[in-house]
Amino acid sequence: MLIRKAVLGLAVLSLATPATVAQEANTERYTLEKSDSGFVRLDRQTGAVTLCTEDQGTLTCRMAADERAAYDEDLARLEKRVETLERQLADGTAARSGELPSDAEIDRSIGIMERFMRAFFNLVQEFQGAEEQPQQEPIPDRT
């Protein structure tokens, strides 16, 4: 019973932590400040500044000219990269990522998993031994 609770607690902790961190980071990423012509949005992660206007209850944000140029350059670079990869796939010259691991890599992975499992089960046995030992009565205070 104690082991089940410990394993369940570790599982919940490992699942909850990344989501909580990601959620906290997203809420503090952007800040909006009122300006004469609308709002200015600051991306605290990248430092990008975007001008936003409000029209009929809808907030519309547009990139500044220099940000748009950088965006277009990045998009063109990525389009060239995709074209190159598509050409390699068509020619059959693309690197194959679906290759199977070698026997040495498999043996190493199994060895790591085996050591992990042995350590885990030793820990479980320690917990079981602690549960089975009777509680010792405290020594009476003779003062």
Side-chain angles (χ1 to χ4, degrees):
M1 177 96 169
L2 178 65
I3 297 166
R4 186 177 297 159
K5 287 180 183 179
V7 171
L8 182 60
L10 287 173
V12 169
L13 180 64
S14 67
L15 291 175
T17 303
T20 305
V21 172
Q23 187 176 19
E24 289 174 4
N26 287 339
T27 59
E28 297 178 2
R29 179 171 178 180
Y30 298 100
T31 58
L32 282 175
E33 293 291 329
K34 183 83 171 142
S35 71
D36 294 336
S37 60
F39 294 93
V40 176
R41 181 179 72 177
L42 171 66
D43 184 342
R44 291 183 178 183
Q45 184 176 350
T46 64
V49 176
T50 307
L51 302 175
C52 304
T53 56
E54 186 177 2
D55 184 28
Q56 298 176 358
T58 303
L59 192 62
T60 306
C61 299
R62 303 199 187 278
M63 288 186 232
D66 57 341
E67 290 176 357
R68 182 66 190 194
Y71 174 79
D72 288 339
E73 287 175 14
D74 203 27
L75 186 60
R77 181 185 59 80
L78 291 172
E79 285 175 349
K80 287 180 184 177
R81 186 173 174 193
V82 167
E83 288 172 5
T84 302
L85 290 172
E86 287 176 343
R87 198 170 37 254
Q88 287 176 349
L89 278 175
D91 297 342
T93 59
R96 302 190 194 282
S97 62
E99 293 179 12
L100 296 174
S102 69
D103 287 341
E105 291 171 324
I106 292 172
D107 290 341
R108 182 172 181 269
S109 298
I110 289 174
I112 292 170
M113 291 181 346
E114 185 178 3
R115 283 195 317 259
F116 170 77
M117 293 303 291
R118 286 185 193 279
F120 177 75
F121 284 118
N122 286 339
L123 186 62
V124 168
Q125 287 175 350
E126 286 180 29
F127 279 127
Q128 286 176 340
E131 278 183 354
E132 293 171 2
Q133 291 179 355
Q135 294 289 335
Q136 294 181 354
E137 293 186 28
I139 299 172
D141 189 11
R142 296 183 182 192
T143 56

